[in-house]
Each structure stands twice: as C-alpha cells, then as structure tokens.
Amino acid sequence: MPHLGSTVHLRALAVATLRPRRTTPPRRPSAAERIVIVSASVGAGHDGAAAELERRLVAAGLAVDRLDLLDVLPARLGRLVRDGYHRMLVRTPWLYQRIYSSSERAGGGGLLARALLRSAEGRLLRALPADAGAVVSTYPGASRVLGNLRLAGRLTVPVLTYLTDFSVHPLWVADGVDVHLALHAVPAAQARAAGAPDVRVCGPVADPRFHPVNATERAAARARFGLPANAPLALLVAGSWGVGPVRQVARELRDCGAAVPVVVCGRNEELAEQLRADGIEHVHGWVDDMPGLMHAADVLVQNAGGLTSLEAFAAGLPVASYGCIPGHGLTNASALDQAGVAAWIRDPAQLKHVLAELIDGPRGLLQREAGLALFAGGGPDRVPGKDAAHHEQAMGADRGPAAETVRVCRAGAGPATPIAARRTRPVRPTALRLATTTALACAVWAGAVGTAVATTDGGPGLIHAIGKSLDFDDPGDGHHELHTAHEAHAKGDRS
C-alpha cells in the first residue's frame, strides 16, 4: 500500500515545493543593526521560534541578542513560574483550562499577573543594549512588559510580537506593541479582534532541516531510527515536557491499525518507561534529530499545535490534532482546522478513518500542499525543499517574519498606541510588593498542596472536590464533596 514515499505523493510534493514564485533579491543591511529577541523558557516552542528568527536575522547581517523573560523576573520567580506551569499541566490540567478560559473572557491576565510583569519592567529595560534598533517578543508576558515600557516612553524603539501559535489568546495582544506578526490569516483575524492595531501576515519560521524528502532519504531515515521499512508510521509528539493523555493515544493508535505509533516523550522519562511497559515498540525520549524522524514518518499526531506542527508543515508531513491538552491545545486545534492545514480528530471512532485519509488519501495531499504553502505562497524567509544556500537567498522575501522585522527596525518607532478598552490603572510600588509577595506565597502553597495530593491515595478525589468547590457556575454540593474528600484523605494518612 503506498504512503508518503509513493510516486504520486512525491510528485505532488514536488509540484507544491518547486512551484515557480517571485522572490526579491537579498538586501544586506548597510550598517550593523541590532535586534533583541525576548522569549521565555516555558516549554520549547517560544524559544524554538526565537532561535530560528535569530538565525535568519544573523544570516541577513544583523546583530541579535536573546533574552529570557524568566531570567529578569525578581527574586528568581521565573523558575517558580515555569515549574508551576509545568506541574499544573501534568497534575491539574482542569485548573489550567479554567485559568485559560477565565483570562480569555477577561481579555488578559489578572491583577497578580500584571503586578508580576510590572516588576520585570525596569530589569528588562536595563538588560536591553543601548544600540538596539527593535525588540521582538515571542512570548505574551514579554509583550506585556515591552508594551508598557513603550507606552511610558521608557523604550523608544519599535516593539514587535511574533505570534507563535495559530490561535491568539488576548494576552498576546498587548498595549504599546507596534506590530504583531501572524503565521496565517486565521490568527491575524483573531489578533485584530483582540484589538491589535497593526497585524501583518508573514508566515511561520522553521529550521531549514525540515523539508520534504525523496524515497531514498525517507528509507535512510527509517533505517537510522530502526523503524519498519514499509509500514505506515504515525509520529506522536507531546512537546518537550511530554504532557497530555499520551499513553492513551499511543495505545489507540496501535490498536486502530492505521499506522505504527512512534512516540516522542521529550524529557518525560517516566512516560517513556510507561509506554515501553505498555508494549509500544518505538519510544524515544528527547530527540536531537527531529527532522530525520519527521522524514521517516507518514503523519504527525500532536496535542498542542505549537512549533512541532509548523516543522511538520515545512517537512511536507500531514498533521492531525488528537487528545489535545487544555487551553491553547484546544484553541490551536480549532484554528489549525479552520485554516485547513491540520485535521482535528474529536472522536476516537474517527481515528482510523482520518489517519488513513491523511496517509494515503487525497486529504493528505491537500494538507501537505496547504502546509507547504505557508512557507512558499505566504512569502516568508525560506524556500522549502531547497538547500541552505537557496534558503539564505530567500531572506529578501517581502513578507517573511525576519524581513518584516528588519523593515520595522529601519522604519523606526512612531507613537505608541494603547488599546483603550483594556487600559488599567498603574500599580503603585507598595501594591506591587504586596501583590508579588502574595503571588509567591500562593505559588508555594499550591506547590505544597500539589505535592501532597499527588503522593497520597486520596489525591484524585481531593482534586475533583477542589475543582467542584471552585466551580462558581455550579454551586451545588461542591463544598460537601470537598469535606468528604478531606475526610477520606485524612483516613488515608492515618492508615
């Protein structure tokens, strides 16, 4: 049975990849311009986009500095934020969904989040080089900090936000940011609806190692990873942290018979051990040669819709969203489906049928072409399927994120424009210290409770009861359930 390596599919990929297109000759900057990229080491997606954007800007002759927002938060709160977010995704995903939904309805973060970001403003401003010509954010919290500095007149160079996801949470759209760069028309429309005054569609970024391959390269990639030579392969990824219902999805992939699952667990070693114990044959931890693994696969199954999906599009690999994590995982799946670049499988009964269509059917061909068009027809900074020299020559494309960043840098900054509907009163220093201290205390308390819950037999019932007690839309017997769970928890401790 033919799949990605078949002749018909290779011809379709060649047409999509090598279609003639107009490109602008590369223009090297006349002076050593400097651009600062501010990201956050929360997972790998924001840093991955920042790294590739940096590589392209350096290739264009600019000086680039990279900063991590978490490093400039006071009192080492950055590590606490990262670890708390990680723990919440792993142990209490329902809580993350609640926070995500409530902040989405409110149009942004709450008082404590704003106070924490305010505390980073002076530190981030001091970390910026004096000769910076523009600052690019790949993380919504960094956009908030930089936008506030622009509005206050403390930062006089243009600020750009590179929207790394297909769905745009209101936190991404910050007052004072001059330009928002979007991957596609769908996230661009969401950013405009959230109040962004200047949104430009310029396509995604992906490492040039992610590109379509021929049958010989595909066979070599399979041999290198010890994968079956002829069976269809479904590459299952769950981000650098390996979060979500990965075990369940891996078993469903194996049992449905549409493809052999190849699972990447990231840095989640416990998950890898569990999958091997479940009889999943092809399990990997952290993979340095992710392009090679994508070249070996026939379809990507993902649950977050982040950088890995964009890399799959660049590699000519069809993508399915399934078993999505709460919050941005669900909204990204919806936006990718709306854009026509990935299938969103909501029902396990559809899994076998949709995967078969993506691997061997016309749906897979259409999605491969749509994914490649993000890099080709959208005019970004790279030409998929070409070698490194061709890729660097494509830096002069008119609408790519790196080229757009250079254009904004050279144009300079105009007056910062606030989003009036979302303006809030400034936080006074005393209130700032109080809010930061409160946030720290709450985070420590949450970590202690989370650890206690996770290490006791009564944990799942207690988590469910806490969720019910916090559900203000259903004020029925949640407090009674919390009391009952607490009693069971205490009995477990005594036993």
Side-chain angles (χ1 to χ4, degrees):
M1 179 179 291
H3 21 275
L4 183 58
S6 65
T7 304
V8 62
H9 288 171
L10 290 176
R11 284 202 303 268
L13 286 176
V15 170
T17 303
L18 303 178
R19 180 185 292 116
R21 64 185 70 85
R22 295 181 180 180
T23 59
T24 305
R27 177 186 182 276
R28 312 295 284 189
S30 57
E33 296 156 308
R34 181 176 298 277
I35 291 176
V36 182
I37 302 175
V38 184
S39 183
S41 52
V42 181
H46 301 288
D47 279 346
E52 178 58 19
L53 188 58
E54 174 190 19
R55 195 195 67 78
R56 297 180 184 209
L57 291 168
V58 170
L62 282 82
V64 179
D65 295 278
R66 286 262 307 278
L67 298 174
D68 189 326
L69 178 68
L70 301 188
D71 290 339
V72 300
L73 290 176
R76 299 183 180 179
L77 287 175
R79 180 176 179 180
L80 188 65
V81 169
R82 179 176 58 246
D83 293 347
Y85 174 60
H86 182 198
R87 179 171 298 184
M88 184 163 48
L89 281 179
V90 172
R91 296 182 176 172
T92 56
W94 56 266
L95 179 58
Y96 176 61
Q97 178 63 57
R98 185 174 295 275
I99 293 173
Y100 188 95
S101 299
S102 62
S103 58
E104 190 174 39
R105 289 191 299 269
L111 176 62
L112 291 180
R114 291 197 297 271
L116 183 61
L117 294 176
R118 290 274 185 183
S119 70
E121 291 178 7
R123 296 164 65 94
L124 181 57
L125 186 62
R126 290 190 294 271
L128 297 176
D131 60 343
V135 187
V136 184
S137 165
T138 64
Y139 181 66
S143 298
R144 295 268 162 157
V145 174
L146 294 167
N148 285 339
L149 291 171
R150 282 282 288 128
L151 286 174
R154 301 169 68 189
L155 182 61
T156 58
V157 299
V159 171
L160 303 90
T161 289
Y162 181 63
L163 303 167
T164 60
D165 286 357
F166 253 76
S167 67
V168 180
H169 190 282
L171 282 172
W172 272 110
V173 179
D175 290 356
V177 171
D178 298 274
V179 178
H180 289 76
L181 304 179
L183 311 174
H184 184 272
V186 169
Q190 293 181 8
R192 292 188 185 103
D198 187 350
V199 183
R200 307 179 189 183
V201 179
C202 56
V205 292
D207 189 305
R209 295 179 300 159
F210 293 95
H211 58 80
V213 296
N214 57 36
T216 302
E217 293 170 310
R218 180 170 175 269
R222 290 193 169 201
R224 192 161 62 250
F225 284 96
L227 299 172
N230 298 314
L233 302 180
L235 180 60
L236 172 60
V237 297
S240 62
W241 288 340
V243 297
V246 183
R247 290 184 70 187
Q248 177 184 341
V249 172
R251 290 192 294 260
E252 290 176 352
L253 284 172
R254 178 193 60 192
D255 297 342
C256 81
V260 175
V262 180
V263 189
V264 177
C265 302
R267 305 192 188 280
N268 193 337
E269 297 178 1
E270 180 182 357
L271 173 63
E273 293 176 0
Q274 292 171 342
L275 288 167
R276 295 186 183 105
D278 291 339
I280 303 299
E281 184 176 357
H282 304 288
V283 178
H284 300 268
W286 182 263
V287 176
D288 291 320
D289 185 18
M290 199 64 183
L293 203 52
M294 286 194 181
H295 294 158
D298 294 287
V299 64
L300 176 78
V301 180
Q302 61 82 36
N303 66 5
L307 181 63
T308 304
S309 298
L310 302 178
E311 293 168 343
F313 299 149
L317 195 62
V319 176
S321 304
Y322 183 63
C324 298
I325 64 174
H328 65 275
L330 293 171
T331 57
N332 277 336
S334 176
L336 289 166
D337 184 55
Q338 181 184 351
V341 293
W344 186 11
I345 306 174
R346 302 170 179 83
D347 185 349
Q350 299 176 335
L351 185 61
K352 182 176 181 178
H353 174 68
V354 174
L355 289 183
E357 285 188 331
L358 292 176
I359 293 171
D360 287 318
R363 185 173 186 177
L365 293 176
L366 291 173
Q367 285 202 2
R368 291 184 188 107
E369 185 168 353
L372 289 168
L374 293 173
F375 297 89
D381 309 305
R382 72 182 294 273
V383 179
K386 299 290 187 178
D387 58 24
H390 284 90
H391 169 72
E392 301 305 343
Q393 290 175 8
M395 271 300 306
D398 288 340
R399 293 169 53 198
E404 197 65 47
T405 299
V406 174
R407 183 179 294 109
V408 173
C409 177
R410 290 179 179 146
T417 54
I419 302 172
R422 296 226 316 256
R423 298 300 296 144
T424 56
R425 291 180 298 174
V427 180
R428 299 174 183 245
T430 303
L432 172 60
R433 288 194 296 271
L434 177 60
T436 303
T437 303
T438 304
L440 177 60
C442 290
V444 173
W445 175 85
V449 170
T451 302
V453 167
T455 54
T456 56
D457 294 337
L462 184 60
I463 287 175
H464 174 71
I466 292 173
K468 289 285 288 184
S469 68
L470 293 176
D471 190 352
F472 298 108
D473 296 327
D474 181 19
D477 56 353
H479 291 286
H480 173 72
E481 289 192 26
L482 179 60
H483 177 70
T484 304
H486 177 73
E487 289 184 342
H489 177 67
K491 290 179 181 179
D493 281 348
R494 287 194 295 271
S495 64

